[in-house]
Amino acid sequence: MITELHTVALYVADQDRAKAFYVDMLGFELGADQPGLGGIGRWIEVAPQGAQTSFMLADGAGWNKQDRIGRSADVTLRCDDATALHAELAAKGVQVTEPQTQRFGTFIDITDPDGHQLRVVDTQGRTVRDRDDSSA
């Protein structure tokens, strides 16, 4: 039986730059930074505090996936307050959109140094577990 989603690979051009962005700018915790095997670059895992799933910041060249740098995955993260997070990240110089409110909640989009776009939705938004019986 599968018990958890462990890592999601984000292919990056510069592992040190990516690690600094996620740890220093977004406040993620560094879970691992170990030498890779066979020239794939280092094994770096970062995650929000307390999260079970991490981003593995994979060296795009080492994994022969340069074409996926900045386009690895569509990611949605959660936060308590998207508007407050926007102000915090903008003050640090992070590329972040203005907060927008839709039916599913208020969100911002963050772009990392490699071009990955991360959507961050506040906890007031709907989740998969929510039911909307009006559409049935």
Side-chain angles (χ1 to χ4, degrees):
M1 170 190 267
I2 297 171
T3 59
E4 72 180 62
L5 176 61
H6 182 62
T7 60
V8 173
L10 296 180
Y11 296 100
V12 302
D14 181 325
Q15 287 183 296
D16 287 322
R17 180 183 68 182
K19 181 175 90 169
F21 177 80
Y22 284 94
V23 173
D24 299 337
M25 302 299 256
L26 299 188
F28 283 27
E29 294 181 331
L30 180 63
D33 187 349
Q34 302 169 1
L37 302 172
I40 62 169
R42 301 190 328 263
W43 185 272
I44 300 174
E45 291 182 23
V46 295
Q49 182 177 6
Q52 289 184 336
T53 303
S54 300
F55 288 139
M56 193 268 286
L57 303 176
D59 177 9
W63 287 84
N64 197 27
K65 301 210 182 221
Q66 297 93 321
D67 62 325
R68 300 208 26 218
I69 293 173
R71 298 187 312 225
S72 300
D74 292 325
V75 176
T76 302
L77 304 169
R78 295 289 247 181
C79 70
D80 291 328
D81 183 336
T83 302
L85 181 59
H86 170 269
E88 176 187 333
L89 295 177
K92 292 180 178 180
V94 172
Q95 185 178 343
V96 59
T97 63
E98 291 294 323
Q100 299 178 48
T101 300
Q102 298 290 330
R103 188 172 94 98
F104 57 84
T106 300
F107 68 93
I108 57 175
D109 291 325
I110 299 167
T111 302
D112 81 1
D114 287 292
H116 294 106
Q117 292 193 333
L118 311 171
R119 176 152 292 176
V120 185
V121 180
D122 66 27
T123 55
Q124 306 308 309
R126 299 167 52 95
T127 67
V128 172
R129 291 180 289 274
D130 292 338
R131 290 196 159 258
D132 183 359
D133 295 327
S134 66
S135 65

